[in-house]
Amino acid sequence: MTHRLTTELRRLSFENHDSCVACGYLFKKGDTSHLGYGQNDEPLYVCDGCSDSLKETASRHYFTPRPYEIPDKETKLWRYMDFTKYVSLLSSKAIYFTRTDCFEDMFEGAKGIRKNKERWDYHYLEFFRSAIMNPPEGHVCELSEEEIEKDAQRLLKEMETGGEAHKKITFVNCWHESEYESEAMWRLYTSFLANAVAIRTSYKGLYESLGRDPSINIGRVQYIDLNKNYAGPNDAFWRKRKSFEHEREVRALLTEMKCKEEGRLIPCDLDLLIEDVFVSPHAPEWFIHLVNNINEKYSMKIKVNRSELIEEPFF
Ligand SMILES: [Zn+2]
């Protein structure tokens, strides 16, 4: 294996994560996926059966499904913000990813509820004990029962510390999935401020505006009942409690080891990102002009829409 991973190759395997690009085989958990280059140095992401077509193998992976679902390309995504955040978006031409330990929700990245931790610990202790006692072929476990127990406890502790540490290297940017403008989201994210805007994009718009970057995962958050369930070690940042279900969140997530800041600005092509801008239902006329002026100043050709919530009824 050469470990030569070009952006094209990483992107190919990222976008086709679930299947072999040569024969269409759908990978199952535990299969091996092969990344490399074909006869003409073209990037390839293939299954065992097609691995002969590789002239160079860059890396092999044990296939695991993504811990999140990807929305359809045209799925509408919204972000509600006050005016200063909007100006900051236009002037920086970047979107802000918040470090997950800085979110208000204490359960961000959590695997479960503390009162259920004993059951979780028991499961993983058993798992670690069994792994230590049954090493891969060619090795024999020569540890005493006491040593096995000590090792299993250490691995459990490391997993716990790792979970906490992961929050410091995981950065997230959140969107609301909806076909329509939402009264509840105006209320929640802008406290019904008069000077607020919402931008609308699509899954495709968000992905492409971030440069089809294979290190940024974009997917739906799944809401689970933590009284009965746990989030798995790889799922934790893609699961939230049922009580947050109204958020219908789609998040963009990246991992960054070196960043010590509370957030990261990621360059973004705003022409690809912003499909429409809506102003708050409480916005006065002058605010609409202001948003238009700012758009012009930053050479953004975006249509500014009045909130659809101010339409008048008839009876
Ligand atoms: Zn194949």
Side-chain angles (χ1 to χ4, degrees), residues 17-18 27-30 63-68:
H17 183 78
D18 295 334
F27 290 114
K28 290 193 290 290
K29 197 172 176 182
F63 177 81
T64 46
R66 286 188 178 98
Y68 56 87

Side-chain angles (χ1 to χ4, degrees), residues 19-27 45-51 53:
S19 58
C20 167
V21 297
C23 74
Y25 171 76
L26 284 174
F27 290 114
Y45 173 66
V46 292
C47 68
D48 276 333
C50 298
S51 60
S53 58

Side-chain angles (χ1 to χ4, degrees), residues 8 287 309:
E8 285 70 27
F287 181 66
L309 301 179

